[in-house]
């Protein structure tokens, strides 16, 4: 029995959640897929799946083997791609994970231009502000914003991400303009719940104090907070890729600019592979520099 065939059958069963759907994807019979998995378990001397009438569950050995098998098959596919047609022409499905607000504001023009340049690549874009596991969840690339910690993944810095404290002119007229971070304690703060507030910078410390007193509105979406700030409900600390247009139009004013936090970064993150699929390499090359230097959303001053 070919080891690659049994490995592909097992990975497909785990991905699809059933032998029948795995067989459909592999264009074979459920009986043959089941045979492959059984022979794989016999060769390894370990049970990989617990089967019930409705579901399958990975054992501890199955989880370990699945993670390694995914990487082996991915490396094999990449190697064949390098030696075949994919070496010269990017093609296939490119799965991308991206933050919701950034994607809504800035990815459509990029993806449209990328598709025109690489018509053989299909895009599967999933929007989520949580940190996805790109290997476990099957993504080719994840766009992430922040200060990235060291990991086994490769991260390509695409653009700086400025954070500015801003409020509407009406709000500032009614409540006054803060002159120092400590003045923020007397204001209404519109808090982004995914914001990294562990920084020791004065601005974040003051904003965290407001949050701890529960005087803040909290949301996990920056667009909602920016629109709420425009409506005059409080002060928001938001990236300029969301707030920049409103600042340029005078709907929001930047306050305490001298205490602006250090910029974050927009990164393209992908698995550490010796051979990189052409579709991934093409996208990384395409997005690098696409937004300009400085990025166009920062040209409001």
């Amino acid at each position: 029995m070919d080891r690659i065939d049994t490995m592909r059958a097992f990975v497909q069963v785990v991905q699809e959640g059933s032998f029948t759907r795995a067989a459909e994807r592999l264009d074979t019979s459920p009986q043959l897929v089941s045979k492959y998995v059984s022979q794989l378990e016999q060769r390894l001397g370990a049970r990989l799946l617990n089967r019930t009438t409705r579901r399958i569950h990975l054992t501890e050995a199955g989880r370990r083997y699945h993670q390694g098998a995914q990487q082996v098959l991915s490396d094999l596919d990449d190697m064949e791609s390098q030696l075949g047609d994919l070496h010269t022409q990017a093609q296939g499905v490119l799965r991308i994970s991206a933050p919701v607000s950034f994607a809504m504001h800035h990815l459509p023009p990029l993806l449209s231009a990328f598709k025109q340049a690489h018509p053989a690549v299909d895009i599967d874009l999933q929007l989520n502000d949580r940190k996805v596991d790109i290997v476990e969840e099957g993504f080719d690339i994840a766009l992430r914003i922040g200060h990235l910690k060291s990991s086994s993944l490769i991260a390509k810095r695409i653009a700086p991400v400025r954070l500015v404290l801003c409020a509407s002119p009406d709000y500032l007229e009614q409540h006054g303009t803060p002159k120092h971070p400590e003045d923020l304690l007397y204001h209404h703060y519109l808090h982004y719940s995914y914001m990294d507030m562990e920084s020791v910078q004065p601005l974040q410390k003051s904003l965290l104090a407001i949050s701890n007193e529960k005087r803040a509105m909290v949301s996990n979406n920056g667009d909602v907070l920016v629109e709420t700030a425009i409506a005059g409900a409080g002060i928001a600390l938001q990236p300029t890729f969301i707030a920049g247009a409103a600042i340029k139009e005078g709907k929001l004013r930047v306050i305490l600019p001298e205490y602006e936090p250090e910029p974050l970064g927009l990164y393209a993150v992908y698995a550490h592979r010796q051979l990189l699929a052409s579709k991934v390499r093409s996208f990384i090359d395409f997005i690098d520099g696409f937004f300009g230097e400085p990025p166009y959303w920062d040209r409001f001053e």
Side-chain angles (χ1 to χ4, degrees):
M1 189 65 62
D2 184 87
R3 288 190 175 189
I4 299 300
D5 288 340
T6 58
M7 189 180 295
R8 286 193 187 279
F10 170 72
V11 169
Q12 199 69 56
V13 168
V14 174
Q15 182 174 328
E16 298 296 330
S18 81
F19 286 85
T20 300
R21 289 195 295 270
E24 292 174 354
R25 294 293 298 269
L26 295 171
D27 195 23
T28 186
S29 68
Q31 292 79 13
L32 184 56
V33 172
S34 179
K35 181 179 178 181
Y36 279 161
V37 174
S38 295
Q39 292 195 0
L40 176 61
E41 290 177 323
Q42 291 175 11
R43 188 175 75 245
L44 296 174
R47 179 174 290 278
L48 303 177
L49 297 172
N50 287 322
R51 305 160 176 83
T52 66
T53 56
R54 292 188 176 184
R55 297 186 61 184
I56 61 171
H57 302 272
L58 282 169
T59 64
E60 181 180 359
R63 285 193 295 272
R64 293 187 179 183
Y65 185 82
H66 179 252
Q67 184 175 6
Q70 279 188 309
Q71 186 64 57
V72 169
L73 293 175
S74 179
D75 288 344
L76 180 61
D77 289 343
D78 285 348
M79 180 179 64
E80 292 178 348
S81 296
Q82 291 286 333
L83 300 176
D85 291 339
L86 288 179
H87 181 68
T88 56
Q89 181 182 11
Q91 56 183 285
V93 178
L94 181 66
R95 297 197 70 224
I96 304 171
S97 172
V100 177
S101 291
F102 182 82
M104 295 291 291
H105 284 275
H106 304 291
L107 282 192
L110 172 105
L111 296 178
S112 177
F114 179 77
K115 279 290 295 177
Q116 289 183 355
H118 301 281
V121 177
D122 293 324
I123 304 295
D124 180 357
L125 176 66
Q126 301 295 319
L127 305 187
N128 202 314
D129 286 334
R130 70 177 175 85
K131 183 179 178 181
V132 302
D133 185 324
I134 64 174
V135 175
E136 193 69 25
E137 299 180 46
F139 287 102
D140 296 299
I141 296 174
L143 298 181
R144 290 180 180 167
I145 295 171
H147 296 298
L148 297 192
K149 300 178 181 179
S150 59
S151 72
S152 60
L153 302 175
I154 301 299
K156 171 70 174 179
R157 191 173 186 274
I158 303 302
V161 175
R162 286 180 60 191
L163 296 175
V164 294
L165 199 65
C166 52
S168 71
D170 288 343
Y171 175 88
L172 296 175
E173 182 177 352
Q174 181 178 355
H175 298 276
T177 300
K179 303 299 183 183
H180 188 274
E182 294 178 356
D183 297 340
L184 295 172
L185 291 171
Y186 307 101
H187 285 268
H188 302 289
Y189 173 48
L190 310 176
H191 176 50
Y192 178 58
S193 56
Y194 288 160
M195 185 76 72
D196 179 10
M197 298 300 289
E198 296 179 357
S199 172
V200 296
Q201 297 182 68
L203 192 60
Q204 279 94 331
K205 288 178 66 176
S206 296
L207 295 177
L208 184 59
I210 302 175
S211 299
N212 289 340
E213 291 183 10
K214 301 186 182 302
R215 297 180 59 192
M217 169 183 169
V218 180
S219 176
N220 65 350
N221 182 268
D223 279 292
V224 170
L225 295 175
V226 167
E227 290 300 322
T228 304
I230 291 173
I235 294 174
L237 179 66
Q238 282 295 307
T240 52
F241 67 72
I242 299 178
I247 295 171
K248 187 175 183 178
E249 295 169 4
K251 297 178 180 178
L252 292 175
R253 290 180 186 168
V254 176
I255 57 178
L256 298 176
E258 63 273 26
Y259 294 96
E260 182 177 313
E262 293 183 8
L264 306 176
L266 170 67
Y267 294 87
V269 179
Y270 53 99
H272 188 185
R273 299 172 186 167
Q274 187 173 2
L275 297 173
L276 192 61
S278 292
K279 61 183 180 181
V280 178
R281 185 188 307 107
S282 297
F283 184 81
I284 293 170
D285 291 342
F286 195 87
I287 195 174
D288 188 19
F290 182 87
F291 302 115
E293 183 60 42
Y296 64 81
W297 54 76
D298 277 342
R299 300 169 194 167
F300 55 82
E301 295 176 327

